[in-house]
Amino acid sequence: MPEPLRVESGELTADEILDALREGRRIIVRAEMLGGIHEVTLRHDGTTFYCDTPTTLHKHEDEAGMRTCVTKMGYAKDDTE
């Protein structure tokens, strides 16, 4: 398994995140959450996308759901920048 990709929140675009996940990489995002800095692990098992946060595990059945999540939560940078 490839080494996890470690990034700061907002460092990659949603497309870059999805590309890395489709390649089989896990992405560890450092993000501000719950009054502190926490790590969120993003992964894809070939069928389902996962966002493993300090409080819960979110599952997304398709790329559109994962794109919405990483954009809404601020893990991905704004594509319009």
Side-chain angles (χ1 to χ4, degrees):
M1 176 179 285
E3 188 73 20
L5 178 60
R6 293 182 173 275
V7 298
E8 296 293 323
S9 186
E11 187 175 332
L12 301 176
T13 65
D15 285 337
E16 291 170 324
I17 289 171
L18 289 168
D19 287 346
L21 293 173
R22 282 192 303 272
E23 292 170 2
R25 303 228 23 214
R26 286 179 184 241
I27 302 173
I28 299 173
V29 180
R30 285 179 37 94
E32 283 189 46
M33 183 183 304
L34 306 171
I37 301 294
H38 298 279
E39 291 186 343
V40 176
T41 302
L42 310 177
R43 59 190 172 91
H44 182 243
D45 67 7
T47 305
T48 305
F49 291 89
Y50 299 91
C51 298
D52 191 2
T53 74
T55 59
T56 190
L57 173 65
H58 298 270
K59 297 180 184 180
H60 306 284
E61 298 302 320
D62 56 27
E63 286 186 22
M66 186 63 155
R67 178 182 301 279
T68 299
C69 180
V70 298
T71 302
K72 176 182 168 187
M73 298 304 294
Y75 306 147
K77 72 178 170 185
D78 187 350
D79 289 333
T80 62
E81 290 181 1

